[in-house]
Coordinates of all heavy atoms in Angstrom, one line a residue:
M2 N -63.5 16.8 -24.9 CA -63.7 16.1 -26.1 C -64.2 17.0 -27.2 O -63.7 16.9 -28.4 CB -64.7 15.0 -25.9 CG -64.8 14.1 -27.1 SD -65.9 12.6 -26.9 CE -65.2 11.9 -25.4
E3 N -65.0 18.0 -26.9 CA -65.5 18.9 -27.9 C -64.4 19.8 -28.5 O -64.4 20.1 -29.7 CB -66.6 19.8 -27.3 CG -67.9 19.1 -27.2 CD -69.0 20.0 -26.7 OE1 -69.0 21.2 -27.1 OE2 -69.9 19.5 -26.0
R4 N -63.4 20.1 -27.7 CA -62.2 20.8 -28.1 C -61.4 20.0 -29.2 O -61.0 20.5 -30.2 CB -61.3 21.2 -27.0 CG -60.1 22.1 -27.4 CD -59.3 22.4 -26.2 NE -60.0 23.1 -25.2 CZ -59.6 23.2 -23.9 NH1 -58.5 22.6 -23.5 NH2 -60.4 23.8 -23.1
E5 N -61.3 18.7 -28.9 CA -60.6 17.8 -29.9 C -61.4 17.7 -31.2 O -60.8 17.8 -32.3 CB -60.4 16.4 -29.3 CG -59.4 16.4 -28.1 CD -59.4 15.0 -27.6 OE1 -59.2 14.0 -28.4 OE2 -59.4 14.8 -26.3
I6 N -62.7 17.6 -31.1 CA -63.5 17.5 -32.3 C -63.4 18.8 -33.1 O -63.4 18.8 -34.3 CB -65.0 17.2 -31.9 CG1 -65.0 15.8 -31.3 CG2 -65.9 17.3 -33.1 CD1 -66.4 15.4 -30.7
G7 N -63.4 20.0 -32.4 CA -63.3 21.3 -33.0 C -62.0 21.4 -33.8 O -62.0 22.2 -34.8
K8 N -61.0 20.7 -33.5 CA -59.7 20.8 -34.2 C -59.7 19.9 -35.5 O -58.8 20.1 -36.3 CB -58.6 20.4 -33.3 CG -58.3 21.3 -32.2 CD -57.2 20.7 -31.3 CE -57.0 21.5 -30.0 NZ -56.0 20.9 -29.2
L9 N -60.6 19.0 -35.6 CA -60.6 18.1 -36.8 C -61.0 18.8 -38.1 O -61.9 19.6 -38.1 CB -61.6 17.0 -36.5 CG -61.2 16.0 -35.4 CD1 -62.4 15.0 -35.2 CD2 -59.9 15.3 -35.6
K10 N -60.4 18.3 -39.1 CA -60.8 18.7 -40.5 C -60.6 17.5 -41.4 O -59.7 16.7 -41.2 CB -59.9 19.8 -41.0 CG -60.1 21.1 -40.3 CD -59.3 22.2 -41.0 CE -59.3 23.5 -40.3 NZ -60.5 24.2 -40.1
G11 N -61.6 17.2 -42.2 CA -61.5 16.0 -43.1 C -61.8 14.7 -42.4 O -61.4 13.7 -42.9
H12 N -62.5 14.8 -41.3 CA -62.9 13.6 -40.5 C -64.2 13.0 -41.0 O -64.8 13.6 -41.9 CB -62.9 13.9 -39.1 CG -64.0 14.9 -38.7 ND1 -63.9 16.2 -39.0 CD2 -65.2 14.8 -38.1 CE1 -64.9 16.9 -38.6 NE2 -65.8 16.0 -38.0
Y13 N -64.6 11.9 -40.5 CA -65.9 11.3 -40.8 C -66.8 11.3 -39.6 O -66.3 11.2 -38.5 CB -65.7 9.9 -41.3 CG -64.9 9.9 -42.6 CD1 -63.5 9.8 -42.6 CD2 -65.6 9.9 -43.8 CE1 -62.8 9.8 -43.8 CE2 -64.9 9.9 -45.0 CZ -63.5 9.8 -45.0 OH -62.8 9.8 -46.2
I14 N -68.1 11.4 -39.8 CA -69.1 11.3 -38.8 C -69.9 10.0 -39.0 O -70.4 9.8 -40.0 CB -70.0 12.5 -38.8 CG1 -69.2 13.8 -38.6 CG2 -71.1 12.4 -37.7 CD1 -69.9 15.1 -38.7
I15 N -69.9 9.2 -37.9 CA -70.7 8.0 -38.0 C -71.9 8.2 -37.1 O -71.8 8.3 -35.9 CB -69.9 6.8 -37.4 CG1 -68.6 6.6 -38.2 CG2 -70.7 5.5 -37.5 CD1 -67.6 5.6 -37.6
C16 N -73.1 8.2 -37.7 CA -74.4 8.4 -37.0 C -75.0 7.0 -36.7 O -75.5 6.4 -37.6 CB -75.3 9.3 -37.8 SG -74.6 10.9 -38.2
S17 N -74.8 6.6 -35.5 CA -75.3 5.3 -34.9 C -74.1 4.3 -35.0 O -73.6 4.0 -36.1 CB -76.5 4.8 -35.6 OG -76.9 3.6 -35.0
I18 N -73.8 3.8 -33.9 CA -72.7 2.8 -33.8 C -73.2 1.4 -33.9 O -72.4 0.4 -33.8 CB -71.8 3.1 -32.5 CG1 -70.5 2.4 -32.6 CG2 -72.6 2.7 -31.3 CD1 -69.6 2.8 -33.7
D19 N -74.5 1.2 -34.0 CA -75.1 -0.1 -34.1 C -74.7 -0.8 -35.4 O -74.7 -0.1 -36.4 CB -76.6 0.1 -34.0 CG -77.3 -0.7 -32.9 OD1 -76.6 -1.4 -32.2 OD2 -78.5 -0.7 -32.8
G20 N -74.5 -2.1 -35.3 CA -74.3 -2.9 -36.5 C -73.3 -2.3 -37.5 O -72.1 -2.4 -37.3
V21 N -73.7 -1.8 -38.6 CA -72.9 -1.3 -39.7 C -71.9 -0.2 -39.2 O -70.8 -0.1 -39.6 CB -73.7 -0.8 -40.9 CG1 -72.8 -0.1 -41.9 CG2 -74.5 -1.9 -41.5
G22 N -72.4 0.7 -38.3 CA -71.6 1.8 -37.8 C -70.4 1.3 -37.1 O -69.3 1.9 -37.2
F23 N -70.5 0.2 -36.4 CA -69.3 -0.4 -35.7 C -68.3 -0.9 -36.7 O -67.1 -0.6 -36.5 CB -69.8 -1.6 -34.8 CG -68.7 -2.3 -34.2 CD1 -68.0 -1.8 -33.1 CD2 -68.3 -3.6 -34.6 CE1 -67.0 -2.4 -32.5 CE2 -67.2 -4.3 -34.0 CZ -66.6 -3.7 -32.9
Y24 N -68.7 -1.5 -37.8 CA -67.7 -2.0 -38.8 C -67.1 -0.8 -39.5 O -65.9 -0.8 -39.8 CB -68.4 -2.9 -39.7 CG -68.8 -4.2 -39.0 CD1 -70.1 -4.5 -38.7 CD2 -67.8 -5.1 -38.6 CE1 -70.4 -5.7 -38.0 CE2 -68.1 -6.3 -38.0 CZ -69.4 -6.5 -37.7 OH -69.7 -7.7 -37.0
I25 N -67.8 0.3 -39.7 CA -67.3 1.5 -40.3 C -66.2 2.1 -39.4 O -65.1 2.4 -39.8 CB -68.4 2.5 -40.6 CG1 -69.3 2.0 -41.8 CG2 -67.8 3.8 -41.0 CD1 -70.5 2.8 -42.0
A26 N -66.5 2.2 -38.1 CA -65.6 2.7 -37.1 C -64.3 1.8 -37.1 O -63.2 2.4 -37.1 CB -66.2 2.8 -35.8
K27 N -64.4 0.5 -37.1 CA -63.3 -0.4 -37.1 C -62.4 -0.1 -38.4 O -61.2 -0.1 -38.3 CB -63.7 -1.8 -37.1 CG -64.1 -2.3 -35.7 CD -64.5 -3.7 -35.6 CE -63.5 -4.6 -36.1 NZ -63.8 -6.1 -35.9
E28 N -63.0 0.0 -39.5 CA -62.3 0.3 -40.8 C -61.6 1.6 -40.7 O -60.4 1.7 -41.1 CB -63.3 0.2 -42.0 CG -62.6 0.4 -43.3 CD -61.6 -0.7 -43.6 OE1 -61.7 -1.8 -43.1 OE2 -60.7 -0.4 -44.4
L29 N -62.3 2.7 -40.3 CA -61.7 4.0 -40.2 C -60.5 4.0 -39.2 O -59.5 4.6 -39.5 CB -62.7 5.0 -39.8 CG -63.8 5.3 -40.9 CD1 -64.8 6.3 -40.3 CD2 -63.2 5.9 -42.2
Y30 N -60.7 3.3 -38.1 CA -59.6 3.2 -37.1 C -58.4 2.4 -37.7 O -57.3 2.9 -37.6 CB -60.1 2.5 -35.9 CG -59.0 2.3 -34.9 CD1 -58.6 3.3 -34.1 CD2 -58.4 1.0 -34.7 CE1 -57.6 3.1 -33.1 CE2 -57.4 0.8 -33.8 CZ -57.0 1.9 -33.0 OH -56.0 1.7 -32.1
S31 N -58.6 1.3 -38.4 CA -57.5 0.5 -38.9 C -56.8 1.3 -40.1 O -55.6 1.0 -40.3 CB -58.0 -0.8 -39.4 OG -58.8 -0.7 -40.5
T32 N -57.5 2.2 -40.7 CA -56.8 3.0 -41.8 C -56.4 4.3 -41.3 O -56.0 5.2 -42.1 CB -57.8 3.1 -43.0 OG1 -59.0 3.7 -42.6 CG2 -58.1 1.8 -43.6
K33 N -56.4 4.5 -40.0 CA -55.9 5.7 -39.3 C -56.6 7.0 -39.8 O -56.0 8.0 -40.0 CB -54.4 5.8 -39.5 CG -53.6 4.7 -38.8 CD -52.2 4.9 -39.0 CE -51.3 3.9 -38.3 NZ -51.7 2.6 -38.1
R34 N -57.9 6.9 -40.0 CA -58.7 8.1 -40.3 C -59.5 8.6 -39.1 O -59.9 7.7 -38.3 CB -59.7 7.8 -41.5 CG -59.0 7.4 -42.7 CD -59.9 7.1 -43.8 NE -59.2 6.7 -45.0 CZ -59.7 6.0 -46.0 NH1 -60.9 5.6 -45.9 NH2 -59.0 5.6 -47.0
H35 N -59.6 9.8 -39.0 CA -60.3 10.4 -37.8 C -61.8 10.3 -38.0 O -62.3 10.5 -39.2 CB -59.9 11.9 -37.6 CG -58.5 12.1 -37.3 ND1 -58.0 11.7 -36.0 CD2 -57.5 12.5 -38.0 CE1 -56.7 12.0 -36.0 NE2 -56.3 12.5 -37.2
Y36 N -62.5 10.0 -36.9 CA -64.0 10.0 -37.0 C -64.6 10.4 -35.7 O -63.9 10.3 -34.6 CB -64.4 8.5 -37.4 CG -64.0 7.5 -36.4 CD1 -64.8 7.1 -35.4 CD2 -62.8 6.8 -36.6 CE1 -64.4 6.1 -34.5 CE2 -62.4 5.8 -35.7 CZ -63.2 5.5 -34.7 OH -62.8 4.5 -33.8
V37 N -65.8 10.7 -35.7 CA -66.6 11.1 -34.6 C -67.9 10.2 -34.6 O -68.5 10.1 -35.6 CB -67.0 12.6 -34.6 CG1 -67.9 12.9 -33.4 CG2 -65.8 13.5 -34.6
I38 N -68.2 9.6 -33.5 CA -69.4 8.8 -33.3 C -70.5 9.6 -32.7 O -70.3 10.3 -31.7 CB -69.1 7.5 -32.4 CG1 -68.0 6.7 -33.1 CG2 -70.4 6.8 -32.2 CD1 -67.5 5.6 -32.1
V39 N -71.7 9.6 -33.3 CA -72.9 10.2 -32.8 C -73.9 9.2 -32.5 O -74.3 8.5 -33.4 CB -73.4 11.3 -33.7 CG1 -74.7 11.9 -33.1 CG2 -72.4 12.4 -34.0
D40 N -74.3 9.0 -31.2 CA -75.3 8.0 -30.9 C -76.0 8.5 -29.6 O -75.4 9.2 -28.8 CB -74.6 6.7 -30.7 CG -75.6 5.5 -30.8 OD1 -76.6 5.5 -30.1 OD2 -75.3 4.7 -31.7
N41 N -77.2 8.1 -29.4 CA -78.0 8.5 -28.2 C -78.1 7.4 -27.2 O -78.6 7.7 -26.1 CB -79.4 8.9 -28.6 CG -80.2 7.8 -29.3 OD1 -79.6 6.8 -29.6 ND2 -81.5 8.1 -29.4
D42 N -77.5 6.3 -27.4 CA -77.5 5.2 -26.4 C -76.2 5.0 -25.7 O -75.3 4.4 -26.3 CB -77.9 3.9 -27.1 CG -78.2 2.7 -26.2 OD1 -77.7 2.8 -25.0 OD2 -78.8 1.7 -26.6
K43 N -76.1 5.6 -24.6 CA -74.8 5.7 -23.9 C -74.3 4.3 -23.5 O -73.1 4.0 -23.6 CB -74.9 6.6 -22.6 CG -73.6 6.8 -21.9 CD -73.7 7.8 -20.8 CE -72.4 8.1 -20.3 NZ -72.4 9.2 -19.4
A44 N -75.2 3.4 -23.1 CA -74.8 2.1 -22.7 C -74.1 1.3 -23.9 O -73.1 0.6 -23.7 CB -75.9 1.3 -22.1
K45 N -74.8 1.4 -25.0 CA -74.3 0.8 -26.2 C -72.9 1.3 -26.6 O -72.0 0.6 -26.9 CB -75.3 1.0 -27.4 CG -74.8 0.4 -28.7 CD -75.9 0.6 -29.7 CE -76.5 2.0 -29.8 NZ -77.5 2.2 -30.8
V46 N -72.7 2.6 -26.5 CA -71.5 3.2 -26.9 C -70.4 2.8 -25.9 O -69.3 2.5 -26.3 CB -71.6 4.8 -26.9 CG1 -70.3 5.5 -27.1 CG2 -72.6 5.2 -28.1
E47 N -70.7 2.8 -24.6 CA -69.7 2.4 -23.6 C -69.2 1.0 -23.8 O -68.1 0.6 -23.7 CB -70.2 2.6 -22.2 CG -70.3 4.0 -21.8 CD -71.0 4.2 -20.4 OE1 -71.5 3.2 -19.8 OE2 -71.0 5.4 -19.9
R48 N -70.2 0.1 -24.2 CA -69.8 -1.3 -24.5 C -68.8 -1.4 -25.7 O -67.9 -2.1 -25.7 CB -71.1 -2.1 -24.8 CG -70.8 -3.6 -25.0 CD -72.1 -4.3 -25.4 NE -72.5 -4.1 -26.8 CZ -73.6 -3.5 -27.2 NH1 -74.5 -3.1 -26.3 NH2 -73.8 -3.3 -28.4
I49 N -69.1 -0.6 -26.7 CA -68.2 -0.6 -27.9 C -66.9 0.1 -27.7 O -65.9 -0.3 -28.3 CB -69.0 -0.1 -29.1 CG1 -70.1 -1.1 -29.4 CG2 -68.2 0.2 -30.3 CD1 -71.1 -0.6 -30.4
M50 N -66.9 1.1 -26.8 CA -65.7 1.9 -26.6 C -64.5 1.0 -26.1 O -63.4 1.3 -26.4 CB -65.9 3.0 -25.6 CG -66.7 4.1 -26.1 SD -67.1 5.4 -24.9 CE -65.6 6.2 -24.7
G51 N -64.8 -0.1 -25.5 CA -63.8 -1.1 -25.0 C -63.1 -1.7 -26.2 O -61.9 -2.1 -26.1
E52 N -63.8 -1.8 -27.3 CA -63.2 -2.5 -28.5 C -62.5 -1.5 -29.4 O -61.6 -2.0 -30.2 CB -64.3 -3.2 -29.2 CG -64.9 -4.3 -28.4 CD -66.0 -5.1 -29.2 OE1 -65.7 -5.4 -30.4 OE2 -67.0 -5.4 -28.6
L53 N -62.8 -0.3 -29.4 CA -62.2 0.7 -30.3 C -61.3 1.7 -29.4 O -61.6 1.9 -28.3 CB -63.3 1.5 -31.0 CG -64.2 0.7 -31.9 CD1 -65.3 1.6 -32.4 CD2 -63.4 0.1 -33.1
K54 N -60.3 2.2 -30.0 CA -59.4 3.1 -29.3 C -59.5 4.5 -30.0 O -59.8 4.6 -31.1 CB -58.0 2.6 -29.4 CG -57.8 1.2 -28.9 CD -57.8 1.1 -27.4 CE -57.5 -0.3 -26.9 NZ -58.6 -1.1 -26.6
N55 N -59.3 5.5 -29.2 CA -59.1 6.9 -29.6 C -60.4 7.4 -30.3 O -60.3 8.3 -31.2 CB -57.9 7.0 -30.6 CG -56.6 6.7 -29.9 OD1 -56.5 6.9 -28.7 ND2 -55.7 6.1 -30.7
E56 N -61.5 6.9 -30.0 CA -62.7 7.4 -30.6 C -63.2 8.7 -29.9 O -63.0 8.9 -28.8 CB -63.8 6.4 -30.7 CG -64.5 6.0 -29.4 CD -63.6 5.0 -28.6 OE1 -63.0 4.2 -29.2 OE2 -63.6 5.2 -27.4
L57 N -63.8 9.5 -30.7 CA -64.5 10.7 -30.2 C -66.0 10.5 -30.3 O -66.5 10.0 -31.3 CB -64.1 11.9 -31.0 CG -62.6 12.3 -31.0 CD1 -62.2 13.4 -32.0 CD2 -62.1 12.7 -29.6
L58 N -66.7 10.9 -29.3 CA -68.1 10.5 -29.1 C -68.9 11.7 -28.7 O -68.5 12.5 -27.9 CB -68.2 9.5 -28.1 CG -69.6 9.2 -27.5 CD1 -70.5 8.6 -28.6 CD2 -69.6 8.4 -26.3
I59 N -70.1 11.9 -29.4 CA -71.0 12.8 -29.0 C -72.3 12.1 -28.7 O -72.8 11.4 -29.6 CB -71.3 13.9 -30.0 CG1 -70.0 14.7 -30.2 CG2 -72.5 14.8 -29.6 CD1 -70.1 15.8 -31.2
E60 N -72.8 12.2 -27.5 CA -74.1 11.5 -27.1 C -75.3 12.4 -27.5 O -75.3 13.6 -27.1 CB -74.1 11.2 -25.7 CG -75.3 10.4 -25.2 CD -75.3 10.1 -23.8 OE1 -74.3 10.3 -23.1 OE2 -76.4 9.7 -23.3
G61 N -76.1 11.9 -28.4 CA -77.3 12.7 -28.8 C -77.9 12.2 -30.1 O -77.4 11.2 -30.6
E62 N -79.0 12.8 -30.5 CA -79.6 12.4 -31.7 C -79.0 13.1 -32.9 O -78.8 14.3 -33.0 CB -81.1 12.9 -31.7 CG -82.0 12.2 -30.7 CD -82.3 10.8 -31.0 OE1 -82.2 10.4 -32.2 OE2 -82.6 10.0 -30.1
A63 N -78.6 12.2 -33.9 CA -77.9 12.7 -35.1 C -78.9 13.5 -36.0 O -78.4 14.2 -36.9 CB -77.3 11.6 -35.9
T64 N -80.1 13.5 -35.7 CA -81.1 14.3 -36.5 C -81.1 15.7 -36.0 O -81.7 16.6 -36.7 CB -82.5 13.7 -36.4 OG1 -82.9 13.6 -35.0 CG2 -82.6 12.3 -37.0
D65 N -80.5 16.0 -34.9 CA -80.4 17.3 -34.3 C -79.3 18.1 -34.9 O -78.1 17.7 -34.9 CB -80.3 17.2 -32.8 CG -80.3 18.5 -32.1 OD1 -80.3 19.6 -32.7 OD2 -80.3 18.5 -30.8
S66 N -79.6 19.3 -35.5 CA -78.6 20.1 -36.2 C -77.5 20.5 -35.2 O -76.3 20.6 -35.6 CB -79.2 21.2 -36.9 OG -79.9 22.1 -36.0
D67 N -77.8 20.8 -34.0 CA -76.8 21.2 -33.0 C -75.8 20.1 -32.7 O -74.6 20.4 -32.6 CB -77.4 21.7 -31.7 CG -78.2 23.0 -31.8 OD1 -77.9 23.8 -32.7 OD2 -79.2 23.2 -31.0
I68 N -76.3 18.9 -32.7 CA -75.4 17.7 -32.5 C -74.4 17.6 -33.7 O -73.2 17.3 -33.5 CB -76.2 16.5 -32.2 CG1 -77.0 16.6 -30.9 CG2 -75.3 15.2 -32.2 CD1 -76.2 16.7 -29.7
L69 N -75.0 17.7 -34.9 CA -74.1 17.6 -36.1 C -73.1 18.7 -36.1 O -71.9 18.5 -36.6 CB -74.9 17.5 -37.3 CG -75.8 16.3 -37.5 CD1 -76.6 16.4 -38.8 CD2 -74.9 15.0 -37.6
I70 N -73.4 19.9 -35.7 CA -72.5 21.0 -35.7 C -71.4 20.7 -34.6 O -70.2 20.9 -34.9 CB -73.2 22.3 -35.4 CG1 -74.0 22.7 -36.6 CG2 -72.2 23.4 -35.0 CD1 -75.0 23.9 -36.3
K71 N -71.8 20.1 -33.5 CA -70.8 19.8 -32.5 C -69.8 18.7 -33.0 O -68.7 18.6 -32.7 CB -71.4 19.2 -31.2 CG -72.0 20.3 -30.3 CD -72.6 19.7 -29.1 CE -73.3 20.7 -28.2 NZ -73.9 20.1 -27.0
A72 N -70.4 17.8 -33.9 CA -69.5 16.8 -34.5 C -68.7 17.3 -35.6 O -67.9 16.5 -36.1 CB -70.5 15.6 -35.0
G73 N -68.8 18.5 -36.0 CA -67.9 19.1 -37.0 C -68.4 18.9 -38.4 O -67.5 18.7 -39.3
I74 N -69.7 18.9 -38.6 CA -70.2 18.6 -39.9 C -69.6 19.5 -41.0 O -69.4 19.1 -42.2 CB -71.8 18.6 -40.0 CG1 -72.3 18.1 -41.3 CG2 -72.3 20.0 -39.6 CD1 -72.0 16.7 -41.6
R75 N -69.4 20.8 -40.7 CA -68.9 21.7 -41.7 C -67.5 21.5 -42.1 O -67.1 21.9 -43.2 CB -69.1 23.1 -41.2 CG -70.6 23.5 -41.1 CD -70.8 24.9 -40.8 NE -72.3 25.2 -40.8 CZ -72.9 25.7 -39.7 NH1 -72.3 26.0 -38.6 NH2 -74.2 25.9 -39.8
E76 N -66.7 20.8 -41.3 CA -65.3 20.4 -41.6 C -65.1 19.0 -42.0 O -64.0 18.6 -42.3 CB -64.4 20.8 -40.4 CG -64.5 22.2 -40.0 CD -64.0 23.2 -41.0 OE1 -63.1 22.8 -41.8 OE2 -64.4 24.3 -41.1
A77 N -66.2 18.2 -42.0 CA -66.1 16.7 -42.2 C -65.9 16.4 -43.6 O -66.4 17.1 -44.5 CB -67.3 16.1 -41.6
Q78 N -65.2 15.3 -43.9 CA -65.0 14.7 -45.2 C -66.3 14.0 -45.6 O -66.6 14.0 -46.8 CB -63.8 13.8 -45.2 CG -63.6 13.0 -46.5 CD -62.9 13.9 -47.5 OE1 -62.2 14.9 -47.2 NE2 -63.1 13.6 -48.8
G79 N -66.9 13.4 -44.7 CA -68.1 12.6 -45.0 C -68.9 12.2 -43.8 O -68.5 12.4 -42.7
L80 N -70.1 11.7 -44.0 CA -71.0 11.3 -43.0 C -71.6 10.0 -43.3 O -72.1 9.8 -44.5 CB -72.1 12.4 -42.8 CG -73.2 12.1 -41.7 CD1 -73.5 13.3 -40.9 CD2 -74.5 11.6 -42.4
F81 N -71.7 9.1 -42.4 CA -72.3 7.8 -42.5 C -73.6 7.8 -41.7 O -73.6 7.8 -40.5 CB -71.4 6.7 -42.0 CG -70.2 6.5 -42.8 CD1 -69.0 7.1 -42.4 CD2 -70.1 5.8 -44.0 CE1 -67.8 7.0 -43.1 CE2 -69.0 5.6 -44.7 CZ -67.8 6.2 -44.3
A82 N -74.8 7.8 -42.4 CA -76.1 7.7 -41.7 C -76.5 6.3 -41.7 O -77.0 5.8 -42.7 CB -77.1 8.6 -42.4
V83 N -76.2 5.5 -40.6 CA -76.4 4.1 -40.6 C -77.3 3.7 -39.5 O -77.1 2.6 -38.9 CB -75.0 3.3 -40.6 CG1 -74.3 3.5 -41.9 CG2 -74.1 3.8 -39.5
A84 N -78.3 4.5 -39.1 CA -79.2 4.1 -38.1 C -80.1 2.9 -38.7 O -80.1 2.7 -39.9 CB -80.1 5.3 -37.7
R85 N -80.7 2.2 -37.8 CA -81.6 1.1 -38.2 C -82.8 1.5 -38.9 O -83.5 0.7 -39.6 CB -81.9 0.2 -37.0 CG -80.7 -0.5 -36.5 CD -81.1 -1.4 -35.3 NE -79.8 -2.0 -34.8 CZ -79.6 -3.3 -34.8 NH1 -80.5 -4.1 -35.3 NH2 -78.5 -3.8 -34.3
D86 N -83.2 2.8 -38.8 CA -84.4 3.3 -39.4 C -84.1 4.1 -40.7 O -83.4 5.1 -40.6 CB -85.2 4.1 -38.4 CG -86.5 4.7 -38.9 OD1 -87.0 4.2 -40.0 OD2 -87.0 5.6 -38.2
D87 N -84.6 3.7 -41.8 CA -84.3 4.5 -43.1 C -84.8 5.9 -43.0 O -84.2 6.8 -43.6 CB -84.9 3.8 -44.3 CG -84.2 2.5 -44.6 OD1 -83.0 2.4 -44.2 OD2 -84.7 1.6 -45.3
N88 N -86.0 6.1 -42.4 CA -86.5 7.5 -42.2 C -85.6 8.4 -41.4 O -85.3 9.5 -41.8 CB -87.9 7.5 -41.6 CG -88.9 6.9 -42.5 OD1 -88.9 7.0 -43.7 ND2 -89.9 6.2 -41.9
E89 N -85.0 7.8 -40.4 CA -84.0 8.6 -39.6 C -82.8 8.9 -40.4 O -82.3 10.0 -40.3 CB -83.7 7.8 -38.3 CG -82.8 8.5 -37.4 CD -82.5 7.7 -36.1 OE1 -83.1 6.7 -35.8 OE2 -81.6 8.2 -35.4
N90 N -82.3 7.9 -41.2 CA -81.2 8.1 -42.0 C -81.4 9.3 -43.0 O -80.6 10.1 -43.3 CB -80.8 6.9 -42.8 CG -80.2 5.8 -41.8 OD1 -79.6 6.2 -40.8 ND2 -80.4 4.6 -42.2
L91 N -82.6 9.3 -43.6 CA -83.0 10.4 -44.5 C -83.0 11.7 -43.8 O -82.4 12.7 -44.4 CB -84.4 10.1 -45.1 CG -84.9 11.1 -46.1 CD1 -84.0 11.2 -47.3 CD2 -86.3 10.7 -46.5
V92 N -83.5 11.8 -42.6 CA -83.5 13.1 -41.9 C -82.1 13.5 -41.5 O -81.8 14.7 -41.7 CB -84.4 13.0 -40.6 CG1 -84.3 14.2 -39.7 CG2 -85.9 12.7 -41.0
I93 N -81.3 12.6 -41.1 CA -79.9 12.9 -40.8 C -79.2 13.4 -42.1 O -78.5 14.5 -42.0 CB -79.1 11.6 -40.3 CG1 -79.6 11.2 -39.0 CG2 -77.6 11.9 -40.3 CD1 -79.2 9.8 -38.6
S94 N -79.4 12.8 -43.2 CA -78.8 13.2 -44.5 C -79.2 14.6 -44.9 O -78.4 15.4 -45.3 CB -79.1 12.2 -45.6 OG -78.6 11.0 -45.3
L95 N -80.5 14.8 -44.8 CA -81.0 16.2 -45.2 C -80.6 17.3 -44.2 O -80.3 18.4 -44.7 CB -82.6 16.1 -45.3 CG -83.2 15.3 -46.4 CD1 -84.7 15.2 -46.3 CD2 -82.8 15.8 -47.7
T96 N -80.5 16.9 -43.0 CA -80.1 17.9 -42.0 C -78.6 18.3 -42.2 O -78.2 19.4 -42.2 CB -80.2 17.4 -40.5 OG1 -81.6 17.1 -40.3 CG2 -79.8 18.4 -39.5
A97 N -77.8 17.3 -42.5 CA -76.4 17.5 -42.8 C -76.2 18.3 -44.0 O -75.4 19.2 -44.1 CB -75.6 16.1 -42.9
K98 N -76.9 18.0 -45.1 CA -76.8 18.7 -46.3 C -77.2 20.2 -46.1 O -76.5 21.1 -46.7 CB -77.7 18.1 -47.4 CG -77.6 18.7 -48.7 CD -78.3 17.9 -49.8 CE -78.1 18.6 -51.1 NZ -78.7 17.9 -52.2
T99 N -78.2 20.4 -45.4 CA -78.7 21.8 -45.1 C -77.6 22.5 -44.3 O -77.3 23.7 -44.6 CB -80.0 21.8 -44.2 OG1 -81.0 21.1 -45.0 CG2 -80.4 23.2 -44.0
L100 N -76.9 21.9 -43.4 CA -75.9 22.6 -42.6 C -74.6 22.9 -43.4 O -74.0 23.9 -43.1 CB -75.5 21.7 -41.4 CG -76.6 21.6 -40.3 CD1 -76.2 20.5 -39.3 CD2 -76.9 22.9 -39.6
I101 N -74.3 22.1 -44.3 CA -73.0 22.4 -45.0 C -73.3 23.4 -46.1 O -72.3 23.9 -46.7 CB -72.4 21.1 -45.6 CG1 -73.3 20.3 -46.6 CG2 -71.9 20.2 -44.5 CD1 -72.6 19.1 -47.2
Q102 N -74.5 23.6 -46.5 CA -74.8 24.6 -47.5 C -75.0 26.0 -46.9 O -75.0 27.0 -47.7 CB -76.1 24.3 -48.2 CG -76.0 23.1 -49.1 CD -77.3 22.7 -49.8 OE1 -78.3 23.2 -49.5 NE2 -77.2 21.7 -50.7
V103 N -75.0 26.1 -45.6 CA -75.2 27.4 -45.0 C -73.9 28.2 -45.0 O -72.9 27.7 -44.9 CB -75.7 27.3 -43.5 CG1 -75.7 28.6 -42.8 CG2 -77.1 26.6 -43.5

């Protein structure tokens, strides 16, 4: 899976598949746009994987810079920080911004 993600350019990263993230993934899938899901709850992701096709997934914390690098942040078109906690979304956004400026 990491090899496939490494080939992507212009994709989107969805940080947390809960709630809003699921609808974003459905929209990106229906419009044939590439995306990577980053979430730390494997059971939740496996439940949703049955409803979505061809998704790429990285299990881990989206606040971790190594995880965002694995998700291809430097080649991504955009990032959706849609965790349930606004503080976590802020940290994700700042981490991503720092990584793309390097």
Side-chain angles (χ1 to χ4, degrees):
M2 189 172 308
E3 286 184 32
R4 185 180 301 158
E5 291 177 47
I6 294 171
K8 294 177 186 177
L9 293 177
K10 292 186 188 300
H12 63 289
Y13 294 88
I14 299 172
I15 305 169
C16 300
S17 183
I18 196 63
D19 235 0
V21 174
F23 176 72
Y24 293 105
I25 292 169
K27 282 179 60 174
E28 181 66 23
L29 292 174
Y30 176 76
S31 69
T32 57
K33 296 181 177 34
R34 295 181 184 157
H35 296 287
Y36 60 92
V37 177
I38 298 168
V39 176
D40 203 301
N41 63 349
D42 187 344
K43 188 172 184 169
K45 176 177 47 178
V46 171
E47 287 176 353
R48 184 182 76 240
I49 291 171
M50 285 174 76
E52 297 182 43
L53 300 173
K54 307 284 188 258
N55 299 329
E56 68 280 327
L57 298 173
L58 164 70
I59 295 180
E60 185 180 347
E62 293 288 337
T64 56
D65 183 353
S66 58
D67 291 333
I68 296 295
L69 290 179
I70 290 170
K71 284 182 184 178
I74 188 63
R75 293 189 176 122
E76 302 295 331
Q78 176 76 27
L80 177 136
F81 296 95
V83 290
R85 291 184 183 240
D86 180 15
D87 287 339
N88 291 326
E89 185 177 349
N90 290 330
L91 181 62
V92 172
I93 292 167
S94 299
L95 291 173
T96 303
K98 185 173 182 175
T99 301
L100 290 172
I101 60 174
Q102 290 179 350
V103 173

